[in-house]
Amino acid sequence: MFLYCGIACRRKFFWCYRLLSTYVTKTRYLFELKEDDDACKKAQQTGAFYLFHGLAPLLQTSAHQYLAPRHSLLELERLLGKFGQDAQRIEDSVLIGCSEQQEAWFALDLGLDSSFSIRASLHKPEMETELKGSFIELRKALFQLNARDASLLSTAQALLRWHDAHQFCSRSGQPTKKNVAGSKRVCPSNNIIYYPQIQVNLRELETAAWFSHDEVATALKRKGPYTQQQNGTFPFWLPPKLAISHQLIKEWVEKQTCSSLPA
């Protein structure tokens, strides 16, 4: 018994150490890409790109969920070329993460730039056909994505929106310029650096967290006032039944429940 416990503890320690080591390695790699434009450009050569249009991600349908396809730099250049667009458009992409094997992941919105969006909108249906997917509002698809894609696409959308809203310096009024990774914007006239908020703004939200399907399903069934639990906390609150957000959450729970039932 003692020997078994010792082996189990060593295995647990090994896996914890491995997870921590992987996290540290990925964090260091992402930091390098954010600070070194040349390294980030090099990472784009072997990286993968998630595509958006007007902040709506490109998604493909598979069974009862959505999948977020990724495209190589070569595939993206071919797509832009086919629709008469300059490959320089790729410079608007932003870094959103990386794999354990240090494959960098980027996001590019084909419909935010004012000069490009008019032309891109004309080709949007053709692009969806070519890419075998649809640009779908993230809030409508969020609960039908796996955890990784939901997190990545949420990060990407927030970062793309931030860049779209901070194209000019708040002090000089001059255009700002993003670095290759999109981790900051700089005003050339006064060297002011602007950083996106990539964490929760506690002035706007009290807190934020992920919840499992079972937790959300339990919350939907809960009736009566929200009473304090034994550990001193309160169960998370769902929007009222008349709210659209409540109906979206309910629809997602019901779809997930049906898809898990045996045929």
Side-chain angles (χ1 to χ4, degrees):
M1 181 67 181
F2 177 78
L3 178 60
Y4 173 79
C5 291
I7 294 175
C9 288
R10 283 197 297 271
R11 287 179 176 176
K12 184 176 181 181
F13 174 80
F14 170 78
W15 284 111
C16 288
Y17 177 80
R18 183 176 178 181
L19 289 174
L20 179 60
S21 178
T22 300
Y23 174 79
V24 171
T25 300
K26 289 175 61 176
T27 301
R28 287 176 175 171
Y29 180 62
L30 289 174
F31 179 79
E32 177 188 359
L33 299 187
K34 291 177 181 179
E35 296 299 316
D36 189 332
D37 284 350
D38 291 334
C40 194
K41 287 182 180 179
K42 184 178 180 180
Q44 288 180 343
Q45 303 296 318
T46 56
F49 292 79
Y50 291 86
L51 299 183
F52 285 71
H53 189 286
L55 296 176
L58 176 72
L59 300 175
Q60 296 174 338
T61 304
S62 176
H64 298 283
Q65 65 176 353
Y66 286 119
L67 299 178
R70 294 181 292 176
H71 299 82
S72 68
L73 180 64
L74 182 59
E75 291 172 331
L76 185 52
E77 290 174 339
R78 287 176 178 172
L79 175 71
L80 293 174
K82 183 171 183 176
F83 292 97
Q85 307 303 331
D86 196 329
Q88 188 176 359
R89 175 70 178 168
I90 298 174
E91 294 180 3
D92 292 333
S93 64
V94 295
L95 177 68
I96 58 173
C98 72
S99 69
E100 293 183 3
Q101 293 72 34
Q102 295 189 351
E103 176 192 54
W105 296 329
F106 299 86
L108 175 64
D109 196 300
L110 301 176
L112 281 184
D113 182 74
S114 57
S115 62
F116 179 84
S117 59
I118 297 178
R119 300 193 299 272
S121 296
L122 296 176
H123 297 302
K124 182 180 176 182
E126 290 85 351
M127 284 185 176
E128 291 179 324
T129 300
E130 177 71 18
L131 296 168
K132 300 179 181 180
S134 301
F135 293 104
I136 302 174
E137 290 185 44
L138 184 57
R139 66 184 181 86
K140 294 181 179 179
L142 190 62
F143 293 118
Q144 290 178 265
L145 291 164
N146 60 47
R148 190 197 68 176
D149 284 346
S151 178
L152 278 175
L153 295 180
S154 297
T155 298
Q157 186 189 69
L159 195 53
L160 290 168
R161 179 183 284 114
W162 181 85
H163 279 284
D164 185 53
H166 292 79
Q167 297 185 34
F168 296 90
C169 176
S170 60
R171 179 173 298 179
S172 68
Q174 297 297 312
T176 56
K177 184 178 180 180
K178 67 178 278 294
N179 64 338
V180 176
S183 59
K184 61 184 176 182
R185 299 189 72 92
V186 181
C187 176
S189 65
N190 53 30
N191 292 322
I192 293 180
I193 302 177
Y194 295 90
Y195 294 97
Q197 288 183 334
I198 306 255
Q199 61 187 15
V200 177
N201 187 339
L202 296 179
R203 290 179 297 180
E204 297 180 0
L205 299 174
E206 290 184 1
T207 187
W210 291 101
F211 298 96
S212 67
H213 172 271
D214 291 340
E215 289 175 310
V216 178
T218 299
L220 283 171
K221 297 177 182 178
R222 188 178 294 114
K223 297 181 180 179
Y226 285 73
T227 57
Q228 189 173 13
Q229 301 180 87
Q230 292 182 350
N231 60 4
T233 63
F234 288 87
F236 75 90
W237 177 85
L238 286 178
K241 293 183 178 180
L242 295 179
I244 296 178
S245 54
H246 180 99
Q247 298 304 318
L248 290 173
I249 294 173
K250 182 180 178 182
E251 180 181 353
W252 172 77
V253 170
E254 291 175 347
K255 283 185 177 180
Q256 296 297 314
T257 301
C258 291
S259 64
S260 63
L261 294 176

